[in-house]
Amino acid sequence: MTQPATLAQKILARAAGKSRVEPGEIVTVSVDLAMAHDSSGPRRWRARLEALGVGLWDPSRVVIVSDHYVPAVDAESAAILKTTRDFARDFGVEHFYDMRGICHVILPEHGHLRPGLFLAGGDSHTTNAGAFGCYAAGFGATDMTAIVATGETWTMVPETIRVEVSGALGEAVSAKDIMLLLCRELGMGNHFKAIEYGGEAVRAMDMEARTVLANMAAELGGETGLVEPDATTLAHIRAHGGKAEEADITRWRSDEGAPYERVFTLDASTLAPQVAAPHSPSNSADITAHEGVRIDQAYIGACVGAKLSDLHMAASVLKGQKVAKGVRLLVAPASAKVTEAAAKDGTLPILSEAGAIMLPSGCGACAGLGAGLLAEGEVCLSSTNRNFKGRMGHKDAEVWLGSPFTVAAGAIAGKIIDPRTLLAERRRAA
Amino acid sequence: MSAAAKTGRAFVYGDGIDTDVLAPGHAMKLGPDGLARHCLEAIDPGFASTVRAGDFVFAGADFGIGSSREQAAISLKKLGVAAVFAKSFARIFYRNAINIGLPALIFPHEGAVSAGDAISLDLAAGRVSNITTGRDYPVSPMPEHLRTMIEAGGLMESLKTRFGARELIQ
Ligand code: SF4
């Protein structure tokens, strides 16, 4: 009988052309898909590729997304976007998404993901794709240049930490709250670890919620984040023009008795909304610990916090309400398709009637590049994934992290408040 | 000991050696050689002046945490460090090190090496020997492709060779 293996081991063995790989082993793998954006990709690759005298190893397997500097706010960002467009044209990139949304959201929206893929991305949150059962990891510019030139890279086979979430999430509690809790409980130093999520609460999640888990594996310091594919995964892939087979479900999962380094269990039904205080996602606590902190800005944005389901969460709190005086609520939908769907299903009018200001789709203030930055001393409650010092504007601004429910509740109250309290009060008043 | 084995002295440090200790911010403007003179000075002011080509650095957990600056790895290489052993590495440092041709190896054996011990490393065989104590320890063997890359001087150098060779063949 073969030894049981984790999903991470199985994908890396396949990508390395071996029957089995062991944690700690360094393997050379074929890359199935390479992804980069306007900040990490073409502007860092072009001169190196030209010096080497080579093109892309396979232009059909390279996805380029302009999302960081969009839309251009000055001549420099315009030049970066032009470099990106020129590269996509000159190097024959088959999948170039120009100002259509944030790269991690674009990949599943356009059917690029399939269980079992090895995906290399020029961005630390490339782990996002692991929600689809892909092995997805972020790489620096030198690594990515080599990857797009050769179609291969090396990696160390990670140990896997299994996060088992039982129970059901309560009202106004989401995948984001699970991740903020994990940043505190598991810490941010899980270098080279694969974080695999499962359990009944994860199985109950839609794909957007699962990407939140995989996305923020990056905050845990992980190499990759993984969710085993199931019927929900396949249905999503097929609905978005991708390819997947029933056999993917049985093939791409950890074996019974797989050698996890550690299993962390969590009961979703006992989880309260979480907020992370400045300046680290690991400074998280139950929201009750920080209720009353006054805010200047509420920001719903980023790959992790402005997908359609995130806008739905915000709208469920904002419906019929008004943003507090002196607070600005900024919403930057994660993609053009998200905006389109939110316009169709009536979510956008709810947001704008509450007083939200709509911003372009892109990384925006999350990357500290676009609209919505903070002045010295200002406080922002944000649905993004990182709150490092100076990331969203002035170094002495404060960014607090929470779910879209929590951010929307904060926008109405003008301070950090438990969204459950707000919803309960409203029910009593009705 | 095979011909591929390299021998040098051990420099031993603790946990959490960060990129600021390896490549101090205040010296970042000095250029690679000047910056290397400040490598590890915050915890061992004598390091840069005593380390010789072929020596080894041993450390605890989280080696290279902090920023993504490649100079942290470059400084060690400039000073002639032949390999870094640590209980664990920050991922970006680890990749940077290997990509610039500096072997970084997981070595969990606390207390197995003391400062000044004579060490020999055989990357191909996946073995490190403490000559002073007479004990051998396995390290994860590096695939040939990576060893070739490290010997070529790193990722970009090996790519030049790889694509240069292809042009000649065609
Ligand atoms: S939205 Fe933020 S976290 Fe996501 S890719 Fe852009 S900058 Fe990174």
Side-chain angles (χ1 to χ4, degrees):
Chain A
M1 208 193 99
T2 53
Q3 288 271 320
T6 63
L7 175 54
Q9 279 175 282
K10 288 185 183 179
I11 300 177
L12 289 182
R14 202 267 311 145
K18 293 183 157 199
S19 57
R20 185 180 173 86
V21 296
E22 297 299 337
E25 184 180 346
I26 295 172
V27 289
T28 298
V29 290
S30 304
V31 173
D32 299 301
L33 190 66
M35 183 274 288
H37 49 64
D38 49 336
S39 182
S40 68
R43 71 184 178 125
R44 315 236 175 206
W45 298 349
R46 185 160 194 145
R48 287 188 174 109
L49 291 176
E50 282 171 354
L52 293 170
V54 292
L56 301 174
W57 105 96
D58 184 348
S60 72
R61 289 171 185 262
V62 177
V63 177
I64 303 280
V65 181
S66 52
D67 58 6
H68 273 58
Y69 290 94
V70 302
V73 291
D74 52 24
E76 276 144 37
S77 44
I80 291 169
L81 292 173
K82 183 169 187 304
T83 302
T84 310
R85 292 179 192 118
D86 291 350
F87 180 92
R89 182 194 59 222
D90 299 346
F91 285 73
V93 174
E94 272 180 39
H95 307 285
F96 174 43
Y97 301 94
D98 193 8
M99 303 178 50
R100 303 297 301 158
I102 303 167
C103 57
H104 309 303
V105 174
I106 290 282
L107 287 178
E109 245 181 19
H110 296 266
H112 288 292
L113 303 179
R114 175 174 181 174
L117 293 185
F118 183 96
L119 165 65
D123 189 274
S124 57
H125 289 102
T126 300
T127 56
N128 190 84
F132 290 79
C134 307
Y135 189 102
F139 295 88
T142 309
D143 270 328
M144 281 308 294
T145 308
I147 287 167
V148 296
T150 65
E152 59 185 43
T153 190
W154 60 274
T155 194
M156 192 182 345
V157 181
E159 296 273 6
T160 296
I161 298 175
R162 167 89 175 184
V163 176
E164 187 76 25
V165 194
S166 63
L169 290 166
E171 180 188 38
V173 183
S174 70
K176 177 68 172 290
D177 299 299
I178 294 178
M179 289 316 299
L180 290 176
L181 173 121
L182 290 178
C183 287
R184 168 174 87 240
E185 294 291 333
L186 298 180
M188 297 176 69
N190 301 289
H191 322 298
F192 295 105
K193 302 282 156 60
I195 320 286
E196 183 185 290
Y197 305 91
E200 76 191 287
V202 176
R203 282 196 299 276
M205 286 179 190
D206 64 17
M207 291 313 294
E208 290 196 351
R210 293 181 191 183
T211 65
V212 172
L213 305 179
N215 180 295
M216 288 187 70
E219 272 56 52
L220 301 176
E223 175 84 12
T224 192
L226 290 154
V227 179
E228 295 161 312
D230 60 10
T232 307
T233 319
L234 297 201
H236 190 283
I237 291 173
R238 288 174 182 149
H240 291 80
K243 274 197 283 289
E245 289 165 12
E246 297 302 317
D248 289 347
I249 297 178
T250 40
R251 182 169 183 205
W252 301 119
R253 57 186 316 102
S254 290
D255 292 324
E256 193 77 40
Y260 294 123
E261 188 201 59
R262 169 176 184 197
V263 179
F264 181 88
T265 55
L266 171 69
D267 180 357
S269 56
T270 62
L271 184 67
Q274 303 287 307
V275 284
H279 297 281
S280 167
S282 61
N283 282 345
S284 66
D286 282 7
I287 194 162
T288 43
H290 294 293
E291 275 190 303
V293 172
R294 306 219 54 96
I295 64 168
D296 300 294
Q297 174 168 305
Y299 186 78
I300 305 239
C303 48
V304 80
K307 303 174 300 299
L308 187 61
S309 55
D310 299 311
L311 301 194
H312 287 163
M313 290 178 215
S316 72
V317 176
L318 289 164
K319 192 168 178 139
Q321 307 292 309
K322 289 283 179 214
V323 169
K325 213 163 173 279
V327 173
R328 48 192 194 262
L329 168 62
L330 308 180
V331 180
S335 75
K337 281 201 178 187
V338 169
T339 309
E340 203 182 300
K344 264 199 202 128
D345 73 8
T347 304
L348 285 191
I350 295 175
L351 301 179
S352 49
E353 277 160 28
I357 297 155
M358 301 307 295
L359 299 180
S361 291
C363 296
C366 176
L369 296 169
L373 298 185
L374 303 165
E376 184 175 0
E378 284 192 321
V379 179
C380 177
L381 181 55
S382 172
S383 73
T384 53
N385 44 25
R386 292 188 167 158
N387 57 346
F388 300 145
K389 212 172 167 54
R391 182 169 165 96
M392 198 184 270
H394 197 278
K395 70 172 176 28
D396 293 319
E398 287 189 5
V399 178
W400 294 69
L401 303 177
S403 75
F405 290 120
T406 298
V407 175
I412 297 168
K415 58 185 184 205
I416 292 178
I417 181 178
D418 190 331
R420 297 174 302 184
T421 314
L422 206 102
L423 293 172
E425 272 170 20
R426 196 179 303 164
R427 269 196 298 270
R428 268 199 300 280
Chain B
M1 208 183 304
S2 82
K6 296 202 170 94
T7 305
R9 299 168 304 165
F11 286 75
V12 182
Y13 303 105
D15 292 343
I17 308 293
D18 65 40
T19 50
D20 257 299
V21 168
L22 293 163
H26 71 83
M28 287 284 286
K29 54 187 178 306
L30 293 178
D33 292 307
L35 178 59
R37 307 308 315 161
H38 295 272
C39 186
L40 290 165
E41 70 181 2
I43 55 164
D44 181 4
F47 175 72
S49 52
T50 34
V51 70
R52 289 195 302 256
D55 286 345
F56 299 100
V57 168
F58 287 79
D62 298 337
F63 193 90
I65 52 168
S67 83
S68 60
R69 65 182 69 147
E70 237 175 14
Q71 290 91 332
I74 292 173
S75 289
L76 290 167
K77 182 149 192 253
K78 282 260 167 213
L79 294 171
V81 172
V84 185
F85 296 87
K87 219 165 151 186
S88 65
F89 291 94
R91 178 172 179 268
I92 296 179
F93 174 88
Y94 183 82
R95 292 200 73 90
N96 284 346
I98 293 188
N99 285 339
I100 62 146
L102 172 68
L105 299 153
I106 304 276
F107 189 77
H109 313 283
E110 229 161 297
V113 174
S114 309
D117 284 357
I119 302 296
S120 128
L121 169 66
D122 189 333
L123 262 189
R127 188 178 56 245
V128 53
S129 311
N130 186 335
I131 300 169
T132 308
T133 65
R135 294 195 55 179
D136 284 358
Y137 304 88
V139 285
S140 233
M142 284 205 172
E144 201 189 326
H145 159 78
L146 270 196
R147 286 202 316 275
T148 317
M149 182 180 98
I150 286 172
E151 276 152 25
L155 180 57
M156 285 312 286
E157 291 306 313
S158 76
L159 282 184
K160 278 183 204 158
T161 316
R162 174 168 171 171
F163 291 116
R166 179 189 280 182
E167 274 161 24
L168 290 181
I169 292 162
Q170 281 168 353

